[in-house]
Amino acid sequence: MSIARWSETLISTLRDDPQDAEIPSHKLMVRAGLIRKLSGGLYTFMPLGCKALRRVEAIVRQEMDRAGALEILMPALQPREIWEQSGRYDIMGDVMFKLQDRQKRELALGPTHEEVVTLLAAAELKSYRQLPRTLYQIQTKFRDEIRPRFGLMRAKEFIMKDAYSFDRSWDAADESYRKMYEAYLRAFARCGLRVKVVEADTGAMGGQWSHEFMVLADSGEDGIVECDACAYAANLERAERAFPELEPYPDSDKAPEQVSTPNAKTIGQVAAFLKCPPERLIKTLIYNVDGRTVAILAPGDRDVNEHKLARALEARDLALADDETIAAATGGPVGFSGPIGLTIPVYADTALKGLRGAVTGANRVDTHVLNVDLDRDAAIEAWHDICFAENDDRCPRCAAGKLREKRGIEVGHVFKLGTKYTEAFSARFLDEDGQSEAMIMGCYGIGVTRTLQSVIEQSHDEKGIVWPMSIAPYPVAILNLTPGKPDCVEATQTLARELDEAGLDVLIDDRDERPGVKFADADLLGFPIRVVVSERSLAGGNVEIKLRTEKATPVIEKDNAALKIRQIYQDSIKALIL
Ligand SMILES: [Zn+2]
């Protein structure tokens, strides 16, 4: 491996947090001199940051190779036509960087590579004998983020590992998916990252099924729920909930009755005015869904989840209707819509099924209807789970558990895509009977730069980074406290050489600095093993060894140090393997 000397490398640590950094990992990456900002969402990896990044890449590459995936490298520049062909040019919208070449041909900087790889598969994979195949690359991706923030977490340019599987049958595609899923678990574990796997929405990627690999962190941008009793966990965009049997309200058999509710518009105001709990109110929202107008009913105390709504209605395009459309569809103003007497299709959240004695809008200004029984009084087209799951909701998988909301950082995502892209690009193969079939596809991403930062988000203390052994830029730092003394220089160099020969990267802090500065920098930079060589310890024939994760600083005989350090290194690398 290699030996580096601080005095010859480029490490600049900062005492203060950068002003634009909001989360610990971003602050630490800048303070430890791992990255430097060029402009919003664009960063340079400095020597130590680059070393750590290459280690993450190496682990991901090894696990992909081990799972049988084949490494390729596709162009980052992609012609516009292929995005038109998949139907995603408009869906990607302004997130995609677009440009022209000198012949005025339109190009995009790839935010992902389903189009390119499916074209490649269509040309190269022709027979069932060539299947299954999984192709992957580790490459820079581009996204025109409106508001880049959190350092590498939401950057305009980032490194991803993206893989794509091609199979002859749905069963075989499940097997390819399983292999990637397991490779992801191993890769994250080897990076020292604890991840939570959650069920996720397929979003703009399309397809049928997906899982996200989440790092739990308060600073995470994704909401997830997990069951406190079983393994169920899901992204909030997708999370389901169980629907307990409803208790009937006291006056639930009465006929509907209109009441005046002057100046009460919000759910809170209506509930207060009528002195009834908000969950007894039904809110009626008017939506435009793929060109038609529909009414959506939800419990008064819940928010409609448009991801779930779109999936339930198999909608491509969905948005709240404007005032004019609401007036035309209901005959009443905004804020007083209700399901009774509507001629547009009405869809209701499953939680409302069996609810009697409810309150709804009356489609008249300042008026509500009491004693509503949806089954009796309204024409419900269908019941769907279309609201957000919340804290304390019952788990949809087990009877016992309650759901808990958490925050997470998405570091990996696996999708079962099916034939969406292989149909669009005619990626077909001949089966044993000479029949032409579309290949079944999966796609799999790991945010490599984001994984690196997530490790720091999960593994730091008040002094700095606490690197896992596997991805630390240098697993060992030797602090020579008196670089002017030949004895100390010689002991430092001998130990460094022994470790280097054993395959470890070593950084020697040979600066003419006070010990306090060297200790503080070593803690900030997070080297897993810190060795101190000083006149005092050498006088006894010893050096000091301190692990970043431990408080103790045991002394050890100088001549046994290399062996001991090797042992610590190998044990902690082994402990990260699943
Ligand atoms: Zn459960």
Side-chain angles (χ1 to χ4, degrees), residues 208-223:
Q208 303 190 318
W209 189 248
S210 80
H211 286 94
E212 284 169 342
F213 294 73
M214 290 281 189
V215 175
L216 296 184
D218 293 338
S219 61
E221 292 196 85
D222 281 286

Side-chain angles (χ1 to χ4, degrees), residues 478-482 488 491-492 495 531-535 537-538 543:
I478 307 178
L479 279 50
N480 180 356
L481 296 191
T482 37
C488 291
T492 301
L495 179 56
V531 184
V532 172
V533 176
S534 67
E535 275 188 293
S537 61
L538 277 188
V543 296

Side-chain angles (χ1 to χ4, degrees), residues 476-530:
V476 188
I478 307 178
L479 279 50
N480 180 356
L481 296 191
T482 37
K485 295 277 175 196
D487 280 7
C488 291
V489 172
E490 202 206 307
T492 301
Q493 277 171 349
T494 304
L495 179 56
R497 207 165 39 241
E498 285 170 349
L499 292 171
D500 175 41
E501 279 162 11
L504 274 67
D505 278 326
V506 184
L507 178 71
I508 298 173
D509 188 348
D510 59 347
R511 292 175 299 169
D512 194 11
E513 285 281 2
R514 285 179 294 111
V517 172
K518 295 192 175 193
F519 290 138
D521 275 345
D523 281 342
L524 174 60
L525 288 164
F527 306 111
I529 304 171
R530 185 189 82 188

Side-chain angles (χ1 to χ4, degrees), residues 226-232 394-403:
E226 60 177 356
C227 174
D228 62 8
C230 77
Y232 180 72
R394 303 300 287 273
C395 171
R397 295 286 184 275
C398 73
K402 281 187 176 172
L403 298 182

